[in-house]
């Protein structure tokens, strides 16, 4: 067995994240056959119930890797053309010139130019990305709202486009992945959730990963605390929430062990073919939701410290919950982390999120977990 994981250092580092202000954090780090699982803090601030490494968790946009893999499987089967205009499949959803110019590939790598629908679905977020002019009120208003994905898509498609289709940098937009969900339904004759469950989740052998049917999370889980840049003080629990606002873009529930198992299977060629995996790792510049330019592939993106090996994976956030899962390019070492507080950074007088001790503690944990 490899002895490359410093178990005591990982224990201390995850505890440091909690001490920095994160209510609860849990993770699994693997190097070959060696596995470390750890947790620190509480799952419930009111009761002090501890968080544990096996808890189920809303993993946010990590879902996008699952959705992208399901689409690529249909590409391999000849039912979808990666460079075919989306209007050939969904003319009623992306009509006119945009539908003929936007390809399936552009939806997966966020170069479609389509706007993000969230500021239109959540009125108090209308000013996004101008954070100081946003507010959290509509998060509460929509706790039990059952959104129709077609209505959300229409909001994004009808909004002013971010850029011309295919131009870079692209704009990270959940509208793209809701459209991919409708594309899966059109070509498979079943719901996108069932398609992804059957062809991706079950193929990877995941036992604790699922699309939720109800606002509650089934099974042991932590409460999820949202601060919205200090505007919710103290942070509020959003663990009970109807996830139709995000669907196949970011609604999966999983565990850190399942996320690591999924990415191992993906890089081992057990979910998509080696050719599809190679396509997934071809990146383009994309403006993230944090308004930073990142490299983005087909449902995955690279993470790398200068001069050190590259990792592939995806991060995600929902109201109150965050996750990150990455795997080294050779498939040997990997990390999955979950946390139950989001948007902890307060804004300065210019409306810019300020650094927080949590940021430094998380960065230190990530470096240790990925590079030792």
């Amino acid at each position: 067995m490899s002895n490359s994981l410093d178990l005591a250092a990982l224990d201390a580092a995850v505890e440091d994240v909690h001490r920095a202000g994160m209510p609860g954090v849990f993770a699994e780090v693997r190097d070959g056959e060696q596995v470390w699982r750890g947790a620190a803090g509480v799952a419930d601030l009111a009761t002090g119930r501890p968080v544990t490494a096996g808890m189920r968790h809303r993993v946010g946009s990590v879902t996008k890797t699952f959705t992208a893999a399901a689409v690529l499987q249909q590409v391999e089967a000849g039912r979808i053309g990666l460079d075919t205009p989306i209007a050939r499949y969904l003319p009623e959803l992306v009509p006119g010139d945009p539908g003929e110019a936007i390809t399936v590939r552009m939806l997966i790598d966020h170069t479609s130019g389509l706007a993000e629908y969230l500021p239109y679905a959540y009125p108090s977020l209308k000013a996004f990305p101008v954070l100081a002019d946003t507010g959290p009120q509509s998060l509460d208003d929509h706790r039990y709202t059952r959104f129709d994905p077609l209505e959300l898509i229409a909001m994004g498609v009808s909004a002013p486009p971010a850029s011309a289709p295919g131009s870079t940098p692209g704009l990270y937009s959940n509208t793209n992945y809701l459209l991919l969900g409708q594309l899966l339904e059109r070509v498979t004759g079943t719901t996108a959730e069932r398609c992804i469950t059957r062809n991706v989740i079950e193929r990877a052998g995941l036992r604790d990963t699922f699309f939720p049917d109800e606002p509650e999370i089934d099974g042991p889980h932590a409460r999820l605390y949202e601060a919205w840049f200090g505007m919710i003080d103290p942070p509020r629990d959003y663990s009970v929430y109807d996830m139709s606002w995000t669907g196949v873009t970011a609604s999966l529930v999983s565990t850190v062990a399942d996320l690591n198992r999924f990415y191992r299977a993906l890089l081992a060629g057990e979910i998509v073919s080696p050719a599809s995996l190679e396509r997934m790792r071809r990146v383009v510049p994309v403006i993230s939701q944090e308004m930073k330019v990142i490299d983005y592939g087909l449902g995955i993106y690279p993470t790398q410290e200068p001069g050190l090996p590259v990792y592939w994976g995806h991060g995600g956030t929902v109201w109150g919950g965050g996750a990150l899962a990455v795997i080294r390019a050779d498939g040997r070492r990997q990390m999955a982390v979950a946390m139950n507080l989001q948007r902890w950074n307060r804004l300065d007088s210019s409306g810019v999120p300020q650094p927080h001790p949590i940021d430094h503690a998380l960065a230190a944990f990530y470096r240790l977990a990925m590079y030792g």
Side-chain angles (χ1 to χ4, degrees), residues 331-353:
R332 179 178 175 84
R333 187 155 177 151
Q334 57 183 150
M335 168 192 77
V337 185
M339 60 210 79
N340 67 345
L341 172 69
Q342 284 300 297
R343 284 156 286 269
W344 52 78
N345 306 86
R346 291 179 178 269
L347 306 179
D348 65 11
S349 58
S350 302
V352 177

Side-chain angles (χ1 to χ4, degrees), residues 32-107:
E33 297 300 316
Q34 191 179 22
V35 181
W36 170 89
R37 296 186 185 95
V42 298
D44 188 326
L45 287 169
T47 66
R49 174 171 56 95
V51 72
T52 64
M55 284 182 163
R56 292 175 173 179
H57 191 73
R58 299 197 194 277
V59 300
S61 285
V62 178
T63 308
K64 288 183 172 66
T65 308
F66 290 74
T67 302
V71 172
L72 286 166
Q73 288 173 344
Q74 298 304 314
V75 172
E76 293 169 13
R79 299 187 187 97
I80 293 174
L82 201 54
D83 295 306
T84 300
I86 192 60
R88 310 291 170 84
Y89 305 104
L90 303 169
E92 73 282 9
L93 298 185
V94 193
D97 292 341
E100 291 296 336
I102 295 169
T103 66
V104 173
R105 186 193 302 269
M106 293 174 195
L107 296 175

Side-chain angles (χ1 to χ4, degrees), residues 30-294:
R30 304 179 68 99
D31 191 298
E33 297 300 316
Q34 191 179 22
V35 181
W36 170 89
R37 296 186 185 95
V42 298
D44 188 326
L45 287 169
T47 66
R49 174 171 56 95
V51 72
T52 64
M55 284 182 163
R56 292 175 173 179
H57 191 73
R58 299 197 194 277
V59 300
S61 285
V62 178
T63 308
K64 288 183 172 66
T65 308
F66 290 74
T67 302
V71 172
L72 286 166
Q73 288 173 344
Q74 298 304 314
V75 172
E76 293 169 13
R79 299 187 187 97
I80 293 174
L82 201 54
D83 295 306
T84 300
I86 192 60
R88 310 291 170 84
Y89 305 104
L90 303 169
E92 73 282 9
L93 298 185
V94 193
D97 292 341
E100 291 296 336
I102 295 169
T103 66
V104 173
R105 186 193 302 269
M106 293 174 195
L107 296 175
I108 308 177
D109 69 11
H110 296 292
T111 58
S112 71
L114 292 174
E116 171 61 61
Y117 66 79
L118 278 176
Y120 301 92
Y122 284 77
S124 66
L125 307 185
K126 187 175 182 180
F128 184 86
V130 184
L131 297 175
D133 293 337
T134 66
Q137 298 85 354
S138 51
L139 274 64
D140 288 299
D141 295 341
H142 288 313
R143 185 184 289 268
Y144 296 105
T145 300
R146 194 67 183 170
F147 282 105
D148 182 342
L150 299 182
E151 293 179 359
L152 297 175
I153 289 169
M155 293 175 188
V157 170
S158 63
S163 59
S167 62
T168 57
L171 177 72
Y172 188 98
S173 171
N174 286 292
T175 306
N176 293 319
Y177 275 71
L178 283 189
L179 279 164
L180 292 172
Q182 294 302 306
L183 174 61
L184 284 172
E185 293 192 9
R186 186 64 53 91
V187 303
T188 65
T190 188
T191 68
E193 289 84 357
R194 288 196 194 99
C195 172
I196 296 166
T197 299
R198 182 178 63 243
N199 296 330
V200 179
I201 295 172
E202 293 178 359
R203 184 178 295 190
L206 311 184
R207 297 183 178 181
D208 292 295
T209 300
F210 56 91
F211 288 99
D213 294 324
E214 304 292 338
E216 295 80 12
I217 301 172
D218 184 34
H221 64 277
R223 297 190 180 277
L224 305 178
Y225 298 101
E226 178 62 50
W228 196 257
F229 306 102
M231 298 180 205
I232 307 176
D233 189 15
R236 192 171 302 137
D237 171 23
Y238 287 102
S239 55
V240 177
Y241 211 94
D242 189 303
M243 296 303 293
S244 60
W245 67 276
T246 190
V248 297
T249 74
S251 70
L252 270 185
V253 172
S254 190
T255 63
V256 290
D258 264 12
L259 292 182
N260 276 339
R261 188 176 296 112
F262 166 66
Y263 280 102
R264 281 199 308 280
L266 181 69
L267 261 67
E270 297 170 8
I271 307 298
V272 299
S273 71
S276 291
L277 183 60
E278 183 60 32
R279 293 186 188 102
M280 294 181 82
R281 293 191 284 199
R282 293 175 190 161
V283 299
V284 293
V286 167
I287 301 172
S288 72
Q289 288 186 321
E290 292 75 31
M291 306 310 293
K292 299 176 181 178
V293 177
I294 64 172

Side-chain angles (χ1 to χ4, degrees), residues 299-312:
I300 57 174
Y301 57 82
T303 300
Q304 186 176 25
E305 294 277 345
L308 294 172
V310 64
Y311 280 71
W312 291 92

